[in-house]
Amino acid sequence: MYVPMIWALTLPLTWYSNFVREHQYGMSNQDFGAWLWDEIKGMFMLTMAAIIVLVAIYAFVRRAGRRSWLWASGFMCVFLMFVFLITPVFVSPLFNEYKPLEEGPTRSAVLSLARASQVPVDNVKSFNESKQTKRVSANVSGLFGTTQVSLNDNLLNRTSLPEIKAVLGHEIGHYVLHHSVLGVVFYTLLFGLGFLILDHAFERMLPRWGKRLGIDGRGDMAGLPFAIGVLTVYLFIATPVINRYVYTFESEADLFGLNASREPYGFATAAMRLGAYRKLEPSKLEEQLLYDHPSGRARVEMAMQWLKENQALFEGSPPDRQWQCYQGRGALGTRHSISTGSPTCSDSPSPLTTIAFMPKATPLRDASHRYCLRRPQRLLAVTLSRALVCGGHDTARTWLHKP
């Protein structure tokens, strides 16, 4: 009862944040009916998970007493292991159709990256997330023979091969660096501390307000709203710590992906695409407290610093792997002129579509923007009159530079 009730009470806010705002930014492809059906399916999955978790935790509370928080923490460790490592393989197909990726350059590049990083996978799938969103995504998930690489169709159809390799390098980094396992450890400790605090909160609350609230003890389900309230406040206060933890793992995966894919151009382009729905250049305080991923500026600077320190890898490369500025009007796939060397980026937006360093620009929706990179020694300036794939919504002009 609690999960459907909470779901219903928070549905208006969920509708505004996940449906209305997504449409305002041109990121959603769903009508209201399809969106609501996905939300209902998610609610049923969450209800089933909550039943398992609550039955187990209350059983520990009734049998273990004051040590129940330790048993509950151990159970959460096992449950989170399932959620992090198994769910993407068995639950995600309930929301999207997964199909084997057809033979071709992309599949070959993905499997080559996986083999080079000692990832035991020969299962590469694509899934039709474009029916829900315009966002690009991928993941490497699974355990005990279920490991698979999954790429959404937006990544496959709207980006270039260097971008795909950079994104997959990042996701393989999470897998190779055991971030899922370390995540289980972190969140087990996080919930363990939360259960300990909750135990002390019950210890103080029951003598004073237990009878008035109709709560007979820790093992009484009538105390669940109180428990949810305490844990909600605790997790809210812990948000900066959680964000910093995730941010660290994302930075590590970024660096691994750069070294594995050797695609700084694709990495920087993919980072700029996220500017369609993420602030590219937040303040330092914003990024430290509120961001759980590196900002677009931080990621582009990382890619350019990597390129600067690894110029020898690109000496003698074909022209389309060197610094270039492709200009084309309208769709990004049109290429009218190429200028090598150090492209000049003007202070004002250009009606020309200009993309630096993409060996093969791929068609996207028409968007006027200017995107030029200087040589890595002087690094880059980026001017956007419209963000990539932002559905025509204006965004502030953003400059990224390094002395």
Side-chain angles (χ1 to χ4, degrees):
M1 288 294 295
Y2 283 108
V3 173
M5 187 184 303
I6 293 173
W7 178 84
L9 289 173
T10 57
L11 184 61
L13 179 60
T14 305
W15 166 76
Y16 177 74
S17 60
N18 295 349
F19 182 79
V20 174
R21 294 291 289 172
E22 288 290 305
H23 277 277
Q24 287 177 343
Y25 280 92
M27 298 306 299
S28 178
N29 293 328
Q30 285 186 304
D31 58 25
F32 178 75
W35 173 84
L36 183 61
W37 176 236
D38 275 352
E39 289 294 317
I40 291 173
K41 286 191 291 185
M43 184 268 293
F44 277 112
M45 295 299 298
L46 185 60
T47 300
M48 289 188 288
I51 291 172
I52 296 172
V53 171
L54 290 176
V55 167
I57 289 179
Y58 271 94
F60 295 136
V61 170
R62 289 163 184 163
R63 294 187 180 185
R66 292 300 303 273
R67 294 185 179 180
S68 59
W69 68 274
L70 281 173
W71 288 92
S73 301
F75 170 79
M76 288 302 297
C77 179
V78 176
F79 180 78
L80 289 171
M81 185 75 72
F82 173 82
V83 171
F84 283 5
L85 302 179
I86 304 299
T87 296
V89 177
F90 296 104
V91 176
S92 296
L94 297 175
F95 297 87
N96 297 96
E97 181 183 359
Y98 283 69
K99 300 185 298 183
L101 184 64
E102 60 186 23
E103 296 290 340
T106 300
R107 179 182 172 85
S108 297
V110 169
L111 289 176
S112 177
L113 269 175
R115 288 192 299 267
S117 301
Q118 300 297 300
V119 177
V121 62
D122 56 9
N123 192 13
V124 183
K125 293 187 176 182
S126 64
F127 58 101
N128 60 336
E129 199 173 18
S130 62
K131 73 175 186 178
Q132 293 142 339
T133 182
K134 296 181 177 68
R135 300 171 190 257
V136 299
S137 68
N139 63 77
V140 181
S141 57
L143 190 68
F144 306 131
T146 65
T147 305
Q148 70 178 36
V149 176
S150 304
L151 306 87
N152 81 350
D153 51 353
N154 292 323
L155 181 65
L156 293 169
N157 298 330
R158 305 182 64 161
T159 68
S160 63
L161 184 57
E163 290 174 83
I164 294 173
K165 291 171 67 176
V167 171
L168 258 296
H170 171 96
E171 298 302 328
I172 288 172
H174 283 307
Y175 187 91
V176 173
L177 298 173
H178 305 296
H179 285 169
S180 292
V181 176
L182 294 174
V184 169
V185 174
F186 172 80
Y187 284 104
T188 298
L189 295 174
L190 182 73
F191 278 107
L193 179 59
F195 291 146
L196 179 60
I197 292 173
L198 181 59
D199 181 76
H200 285 285
F202 267 111
E203 184 70 16
R204 291 176 175 271
M205 183 274 292
L206 287 173
R208 298 182 181 181
W209 301 299
K211 290 183 179 180
R212 186 183 306 174
L213 297 175
I215 303 173
D216 294 331
R218 292 179 178 81
D220 188 350
M221 286 291 291
L224 183 58
F226 175 78
I228 292 175
V230 171
L231 290 176
T232 299
V233 173
Y234 164 71
L235 291 174
F236 175 77
I237 295 173
T239 297
V241 176
I242 298 171
N243 287 346
R244 186 48 34 183
Y245 162 81
V246 176
Y247 187 103
T248 300
F249 276 12
E250 294 297 330
S251 297
E252 291 177 354
D254 285 347
L255 186 56
F256 183 98
L258 279 169
N259 283 307
S261 67
R262 298 185 178 184
E263 291 289 354
Y265 313 124
F267 185 90
T269 307
M272 293 305 298
R273 288 181 186 275
L274 300 182
Y277 53 90
R278 292 179 184 172
K279 189 175 181 179
L280 289 171
E281 193 174 13
S283 67
K284 289 185 178 180
L285 184 61
E286 278 182 294
E287 190 159 0
Q288 287 288 327
L289 294 180
L290 303 178
Y291 274 56
D292 59 4
H293 285 62
S295 65
R297 174 193 177 106
R299 282 177 154 166
V300 173
E301 286 188 342
M302 176 186 287
M304 296 303 99
Q305 182 64 39
W306 186 95
L307 181 61
K308 177 183 176 181
E309 302 300 333
N310 290 276
Q311 285 292 293
L313 296 175
F314 300 90
E315 291 178 0
S317 297
D320 67 350
R321 300 294 297 179
Q322 299 172 355
W323 285 98
Q324 299 179 351
C325 190
Y326 299 162
Q327 293 186 338
R329 187 179 299 276
L332 305 187
T334 308
R335 186 171 64 184
H336 296 298
S337 64
I338 299 176
S339 58
T340 58
S342 189
T344 301
C345 295
S346 63
D347 289 348
S348 59
S350 168
L352 291 177
T353 297
T354 306
I355 284 197
F357 60 67
M358 288 185 68
K360 180 182 179 182
T362 54
L364 298 171
R365 71 168 62 237
D366 289 352
S368 93
H369 62 278
R370 187 164 180 79
Y371 189 120
C372 283
L373 296 182
R374 301 180 188 275
R375 284 188 178 277
Q377 290 85 351
R378 307 173 74 176
L379 217 50
L380 77 124
V382 177
T383 305
L384 294 176
S385 60
R386 291 187 179 182
L388 282 169
V389 205
C390 70
H393 289 272
D394 290 336
T395 185
R397 186 179 306 167
T398 303
W399 285 93
L400 303 180
H401 61 85
K402 182 176 181 180

